[in-house]
């Protein structure tokens, strides 16, 4: 009787109903973008496409979660869900209330953000800070998720700005943080290639796509970025482009092919400097290479 073995307790299996898919959309709303300067109504079309894409994500499963951020020239903030009390919406023309709430909240908070911008100075978009805020939001939901559930998180950046080498270190920090948190980073470039964000997609296993036509933005969002990362392997998607892994120098904030690296703090410089501007380490000035004297042959 003492040798009776009790059946081991099985761990609860996580079904598909217990999997929560969280999508955080970062929309670059900086008015200094070239495509927005050329066409003033371009931002309205982009916002409509992002809202339709976001509602499509919520439509896939009842457990899906959504967050939308606006990345501006001086600040980045959540426009859905907003910091204020949720709007009281009612069904309009048969539209589902949850979808109408997303549309109204995003457009209202975005209008308040754009209206508060008074400076006309040309500044770059704070994309690195927006990604960091999204990772903090994901980490908070990861801690407060229901027991036994699994949270699959990913971030989608929709931007028409150019590369910002001045945020190189910030980009690298958020890329490797996302990789450690198992957060997939997707990037949808609207105007020009973003080589630094392309590195983040490759590091985290996400998708990078430059949209050939902004008028077809919604079609590309639904085709490429709506499927979950495990499903993308079974779909016919655009082939991956070659990743530009050039680093930005710390002195001129430009992408370089060959440079000098500090042996203490790993800062990168395009020209030799006797003092590292980051950690103030003093280096020896490289002198001419020592030439070994030739051995004289002994005469026998």
């Amino acid at each position: 009787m003492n040798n009776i073995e009790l059946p081991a307790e099985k761990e609860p299996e996580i079904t598909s109903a217990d999997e929560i898919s969280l999508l955080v959309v970062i929309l670059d709303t900086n008015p200094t973008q070239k495509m927005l300067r050329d066409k003033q109504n371009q931002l309205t079309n982009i916002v409509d496409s992002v809202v339709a894409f976001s509602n499509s994500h919520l439509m896939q499963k009842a457990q899906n979660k959504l967050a939308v951020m606006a990345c501006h020239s001086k600040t980045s903030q959540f426009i859905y869900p907003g910091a204020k009390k949720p709007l009281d919406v009612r069904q309009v023309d048969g539209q589902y209330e949850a979808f109408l709430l997303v549309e109204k909240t995003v457009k209202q908070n975005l209008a308040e953000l754009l209206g508060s911008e008074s400076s006309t100075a040309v500044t770059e978009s704070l994309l690195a800070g927006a990604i960091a805020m999204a990772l903090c939001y994901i980490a908070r939901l990861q801690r407060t998720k229901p027991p036994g559930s699994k949270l699959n998180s990913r971030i989608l950046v929709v931007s028409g700005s150019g590369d910002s080498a001045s945020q190189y270190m910030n980009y690298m920090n958020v890329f490797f943080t996302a990789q450690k948190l198992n957060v997939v980073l997707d990037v949808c470039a609207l105007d020009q290639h973003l080589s630094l964000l392309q590195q983040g997609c490759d590091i985290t296993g996400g998708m990078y796509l430059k949209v050939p036509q902004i008028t077809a933005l919604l079609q590309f969002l639904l085709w490429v970025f709506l499927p979950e990362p495990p499903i993308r392997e079974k779909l016919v998607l655009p082939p991956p482009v070659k990743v530009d892994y050039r680093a930005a120098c710390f002195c001129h904030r430009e992408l370089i092919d060959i440079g000098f690296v500090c042996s203490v703090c790993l800062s990168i410089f395009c020209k030799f400097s006797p003092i590292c501007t980051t950690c103030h380490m003093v280096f020896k000035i490289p002198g001419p290479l020592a030439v070994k004297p030739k051995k004289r042959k002994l005469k026998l």
Side-chain angles (χ1 to χ4, degrees):
M1 295 294 293
N2 296 331
N3 297 329
I4 298 178
E5 296 182 359
L6 297 177
E9 295 183 358
K10 296 182 179 180
E11 296 182 359
E13 297 181 357
I14 300 178
T15 61
S16 60
D18 298 324
E19 292 187 1
I20 304 173
S21 179
L22 171 62
L23 172 64
V24 181
V25 181
I26 300 178
L27 178 60
D28 190 355
T29 59
N30 193 342
T32 59
Q33 300 178 72
K34 181 178 179 301
M35 60 176 187
L36 299 183
R37 296 197 308 265
D38 296 341
K39 295 182 180 180
Q40 298 181 356
N41 62 340
Q42 194 73 267
L43 182 60
T44 303
N45 300 330
I46 296 174
V47 172
D48 291 339
S49 300
V50 171
V51 169
F53 166 75
S54 303
N55 287 335
S56 300
H57 170 73
L58 296 177
M59 190 188 304
Q60 287 185 318
K61 190 189 298 183
Q63 290 81 10
N64 286 2
K65 302 296 181 181
L66 172 70
V68 182
M69 294 184 61
C71 176
H72 214 55
S73 58
K74 293 185 178 181
T75 183
S76 298
Q77 67 181 35
F78 285 89
I79 55 179
Y80 179 86
K84 301 180 181 179
K85 183 180 178 181
L87 300 176
D88 184 15
V89 297
R90 297 183 180 181
Q91 192 179 53
V92 178
D93 296 334
Q95 187 177 6
Y96 183 41
E97 290 87 349
F99 298 162
L100 183 61
L101 177 62
V102 173
E103 181 180 357
K104 294 293 184 181
T105 305
V106 167
K107 292 184 177 181
Q108 178 176 333
N109 292 334
L110 183 58
E112 294 178 359
L113 176 63
L114 297 178
S116 62
E117 182 70 19
S118 57
S119 176
T120 58
V122 178
T123 55
E124 58 190 20
S125 302
L126 304 177
L127 288 175
I131 299 176
M133 290 179 60
L135 292 175
C136 293
Y137 179 77
I138 292 172
R140 188 183 69 180
L141 292 186
Q142 189 73 30
R143 293 194 303 266
T144 58
K145 67 179 181 179
S149 61
K150 181 180 179 182
L151 182 64
N152 300 321
S153 306
R154 55 193 177 110
I155 300 174
L156 172 62
V157 178
V158 181
S159 174
S161 300
D163 264 331
S164 176
S166 61
Q167 304 180 41
Y168 175 75
M169 287 301 298
N170 299 332
Y171 276 131
M172 293 299 112
N173 289 333
V174 296
F175 292 162
F176 289 107
T177 302
Q179 183 188 41
K180 186 176 181 180
L181 296 177
N182 295 324
V183 176
V184 176
L185 176 64
D186 298 327
V187 175
C188 180
L190 302 179
D191 189 27
Q192 49 190 326
H193 279 292
L194 306 172
S195 58
L196 292 179
L197 288 175
Q198 189 178 2
Q199 297 180 22
C201 295
D202 188 63
I203 292 172
T204 60
M207 285 289 301
Y208 173 86
L209 176 68
K210 181 183 178 301
V211 179
Q213 296 179 357
I214 301 182
T215 54
L217 175 60
L218 180 58
Q219 286 83 346
F220 283 101
L221 290 176
L222 297 177
W223 171 37
V224 179
F225 299 107
L226 183 60
E228 297 289 335
I231 305 177
R232 294 174 182 175
E233 301 176 357
K234 303 178 182 179
L235 301 177
V236 180
L237 298 176
V241 295
K242 185 179 180 181
V243 182
D244 184 6
Y245 265 108
R246 290 185 299 169
C249 65
F250 285 38
C251 46
H252 300 93
R253 306 297 183 182
E254 295 180 356
L255 298 179
I256 58 176
D257 297 319
I258 300 176
F260 296 86
V261 180
C262 174
S263 58
V264 179
C265 64
L266 302 181
S267 298
I268 305 171
F269 304 96
C270 59
K271 296 181 180 180
F272 175 78
S273 176
I275 301 176
C276 177
T277 57
T278 304
C279 65
H280 305 290
M281 181 66 183
V282 180
F283 302 104
K284 295 181 180 179
I285 299 177
L289 296 177
V291 180
K292 293 182 179 181
K294 295 182 179 180
K295 294 183 179 180
R296 296 181 179 179
K297 294 182 179 181
L298 297 177
K299 296 182 179 180
L300 297 177

